[in-house]
Amino acid sequence: MKRKRRNHTAAFKAKVAVAAVRGDKTLSELAEQFDVHPNQIQDWRRRLLDRAGEVFERGGPQAKQTEQELKELHAKIGELTMERDFLESGLERIHGRRAKR
């Protein structure tokens, strides 16, 4: 009978990959210890080593994404401020200055 497909967390993958990089145990031993296929361990190890440089980069992809999000939030703040001012001036015209609190 087939086993259900499992989804491993990023922390688990990192733990297994680091153990593979350490080289204390063979792939077969690691596969038995973590109950994962040896090919999967090799893939996670390769991905860890390929992307290890990204950890130490300054202004990587996250910084660019954060800057874009910040620009979008500033634009939204400006839009909401304009809407509030417009509605406030309309309220003043209808009820006079006294309605403004």
Side-chain angles (χ1 to χ4, degrees):
M1 190 165 136
K2 278 189 164 182
R3 176 177 8 185
K4 276 182 109 176
R5 184 180 178 105
R6 296 180 294 173
N7 293 323
H8 300 288
T9 63
F12 177 78
K13 292 176 185 179
K15 180 179 175 181
V16 174
V18 168
V21 169
R22 239 186 258 133
D24 296 344
K25 297 182 180 180
T26 65
L27 281 178
S28 300
E29 292 171 338
L30 290 173
E32 187 176 325
Q33 178 184 347
F34 293 108
D35 193 28
V36 178
H37 196 276
N39 291 344
Q40 189 67 63
I41 295 174
Q42 276 186 313
D43 182 47
W44 292 342
R45 178 183 174 276
R46 190 177 317 113
R47 286 172 45 191
L48 175 68
L49 293 176
D50 289 345
R51 294 185 175 173
E54 293 176 12
V55 173
F56 301 105
E57 286 182 7
R58 287 185 174 221
Q62 287 182 337
K64 292 177 184 175
Q65 182 181 2
T66 304
E67 288 178 21
Q68 179 63 29
E69 289 175 356
L70 187 61
K71 286 180 183 179
E72 290 173 7
L73 289 173
H74 281 287
K76 187 65 175 179
I77 290 170
E79 179 183 332
L80 292 172
T81 303
M82 287 178 56
E83 287 178 8
R84 187 202 62 199
D85 292 345
F86 174 77
L87 293 173
E88 185 178 349
S89 67
L91 186 63
E92 284 177 3
R93 276 188 262 147
I94 294 172
H95 297 289
R97 280 243 178 238
R98 204 183 71 195
K100 183 179 177 185
R101 292 178 189 197

